[in-house]
Amino acid sequence: METDERMARYRSALEFAERQVANLIERHADFFPIYTRGGKWRHEGELWTDWTGGFLAGMMWQFHRRTGDAVWRERAEHYSRLLEHRQFDRNVHDLGFIFLNTYGPWYRLTGDERLRQVLIQAGRTLALRFRERGRYLCSFVGPESLFIDIMMNVPIIFLAANETDDSTLRDIATAHCRTTRDRIVRPDGSTAHEGLFDTDTGEFLRESTHQGLAPDSAWARGLAWSLYGYDQCFALTGNEEFLEVSERNARYWIDHLPADHVPYWDFRADRTQPPPWGAQRESSAGAIAACGLLDLATHARDPALAATCRSTALAMLDALVDPEYLAVQTPGWEGILKHGVYHTAKNLGVDESVMWGEYFFVEALTKVVVDGR
Ligand code: GLY
């Protein structure tokens, strides 16, 4: 696709995203939905865990960054403030998701010390999940569990460590990255969703999954969290151990992506079988990986890999702005991006819009349109 045409399509997708978010907050003020049901945000479906508030508020910060519109800033500040108490939340492993996309941009814009303290506290709170036996941050399901998703949250601990020069925080985050790499990132660059440990001895027991096809499969979103998370950890530390993992994840992603550049929900799903366990797309994983690949393209040590990261990210975004995925021609659909999946086994948000898919889609397009990535 020619650059001008691409930019026009990306801008138009971002304008559609603004309209959908404005409609959502007008219809359901101060409500933080996680996934749609039949395309509608308000329903009685289970949350599983409450981890996505930062994505709705984060989109508002992205809209403000692109447009400079004071109304988006006002809304972004309001929705961010509603999340402030979560800086002390010890029940989730998701404090990076909640604060990096909200207080992060707000602090960068203002340099306000109060906002910096919220970010530092969120990093400190997340670090309290560290298990010395096994050397990992445990997931919300229990002390024995390490999730690949946590890789996308660890950056808030490195951020807090950098802001305070606290070597204990840095050591915890580094240990978690190494344990994740050694236990659930495989030599071929694919990832398991979960690692289980013996809590008495810290011994690694086995791979496992909640949201993927099987313990030994390659859940697409988990791989995307790893790819983008390790690259962010490299950006915050300069530690090439983390860059190597992100590069390994990227090679697996690029080599296994279908020809139309939109991932299936699990790279090992049998695509001859019907959805949701077989040929089910997962647009949110594509959006997350697009962000990661755009950033990795600026860090990868091999120029050929860097170029492929960028071209793959753009090809994925070109596919996602098509009305097959962008809900622009689906009347009554309240989300932005269709064909995301939250939790197949629990039948939550399957083939729906999911709030993190919305956010990372907006973030990726904004990286291209505003930053010229
Ligand atoms: N639990 C995070 C995710 O669904 O990716």
Side-chain angles (χ1 to χ4, degrees):
M1 196 184 296
E2 292 303 318
T3 309
D4 287 352
E5 186 196 345
R6 173 174 282 135
M7 286 300 167
R9 291 181 70 190
Y10 288 12
R11 281 203 185 90
S12 154
L14 284 167
E15 285 160 12
F16 172 68
E18 283 187 68
R19 291 199 295 279
Q20 294 298 77
V21 173
N23 288 338
L24 165 62
I25 62 179
E26 211 167 278
R27 220 174 275 142
H28 306 297
D30 296 354
F31 173 53
F32 288 97
I34 295 190
Y35 60 93
T36 61
R37 232 188 213 179
K40 307 288 184 211
W41 286 118
R42 188 119 219 175
H43 52 76
E44 299 303 315
E46 186 196 334
L47 302 182
W48 191 38
T49 166
D50 180 7
W51 60 288
T52 64
F55 300 131
L56 179 58
M59 275 192 281
M60 300 172 192
W61 285 109
Q62 294 285 332
F63 295 149
H64 175 259
R65 189 161 89 83
R66 189 181 99 263
T67 63
D69 185 339
V71 173
W72 279 123
R73 168 133 182 213
E74 212 175 284
R75 290 167 169 164
E77 290 191 14
H78 172 75
Y79 274 79
S80 298
R81 262 189 222 103
L82 294 177
L83 298 166
E84 189 165 314
H85 64 286
R86 302 286 302 273
Q87 68 187 295
F88 302 106
D89 187 344
R90 295 193 61 181
N91 295 319
V92 298
H93 56 246
D94 304 300
L95 297 182
F97 287 139
I98 295 169
F99 288 98
L100 288 168
N101 310 315
T102 54
Y103 282 73
W106 196 359
Y107 172 58
R108 283 195 294 280
L109 195 63
T110 60
D112 184 336
E113 176 59 21
R114 199 187 65 78
L115 304 175
R116 191 176 86 99
Q117 289 304 329
V118 172
L119 288 162
I120 292 168
Q121 181 57 52
R124 289 199 167 122
T125 303
L126 181 59
L128 295 172
R129 305 191 75 80
F130 189 66
R131 310 274 313 170
E132 190 54 55
R133 290 192 185 140
R135 301 188 61 73
Y136 58 93
L137 298 157
C138 63
S139 85
F140 82 99
V141 303
E144 71 288 356
S145 160
L146 174 165
F147 273 18
I148 195 68
D149 322 25
I150 298 173
M151 276 314 306
M152 199 69 209
N153 290 284
V154 181
I156 198 155
I157 303 183
F158 281 125
L159 185 150
N162 289 350
E163 289 295 331
T164 56
D165 207 15
D166 182 333
S167 60
T168 305
L169 283 179
R170 191 168 293 121
D171 291 349
I172 284 174
T174 302
H176 177 84
C177 293
R178 288 180 176 151
T179 303
T180 303
R181 174 195 63 192
D182 296 343
R183 299 307 186 186
I184 60 172
V185 181
R186 306 185 184 113
D188 69 358
S190 68
T191 53
H193 181 192
E194 185 183 36
L196 292 176
F197 292 77
D198 181 322
T199 51
D200 291 333
T201 63
E203 183 197 350
F204 176 68
L205 299 176
R206 60 183 177 279
E207 295 181 347
S208 177
T209 193
H210 294 261
Q211 287 159 280
L213 180 70
D216 63 351
S217 72
W219 176 49
R221 193 159 66 254
L223 180 57
W225 291 142
S226 183
L227 190 166
Y228 196 13
Y230 273 104
D231 184 69
Q232 287 202 346
C233 292
F234 166 71
L236 283 159
T237 62
N239 186 339
E240 293 202 357
E241 284 178 67
F242 305 151
L243 181 58
E244 182 278 324
V245 184
S246 181
E247 289 171 339
R248 197 164 9 127
N249 296 147
R251 288 184 202 278
Y252 185 93
W253 185 279
I254 292 163
D255 289 349
H256 293 80
L257 202 57
D260 65 2
H261 298 104
V262 180
Y264 290 90
W265 73 291
D266 194 301
F267 282 98
R268 301 206 180 140
D270 179 352
R271 297 181 206 161
T272 66
Q273 296 301 311
W277 293 97
Q280 172 64 55
R281 302 292 186 159
E282 215 293 67
S283 57
S284 82
I288 298 158
C291 286
L293 289 170
L294 287 170
D295 281 10
L296 184 57
T298 68
H299 301 139
R301 294 164 294 187
D302 171 0
L305 176 63
T308 311
C309 286
R310 180 165 187 274
S311 61
T312 304
L314 294 178
M316 292 195 309
L317 292 173
D318 291 349
L320 294 179
V321 297
D322 185 273
E324 172 58 21
Y325 291 93
L326 191 69
V328 69
Q329 291 175 13
T330 310
W333 193 275
E334 294 177 357
I336 299 163
L337 204 54
K338 297 184 292 178
H339 307 308
V341 177
Y342 180 18
H343 197 310
T344 305
K346 284 179 169 283
N347 192 24
L348 302 179
V350 177
D351 205 23
E352 294 285 349
S353 292
V354 292
M355 197 48 85
W356 56 95
E358 315 282 80
Y359 172 78
F360 287 103
F361 177 63
V362 166
E363 184 187 302
L365 295 176
T366 306
K367 279 183 200 291
V368 179
V369 167
V370 175
D371 303 330
R373 289 283 176 77

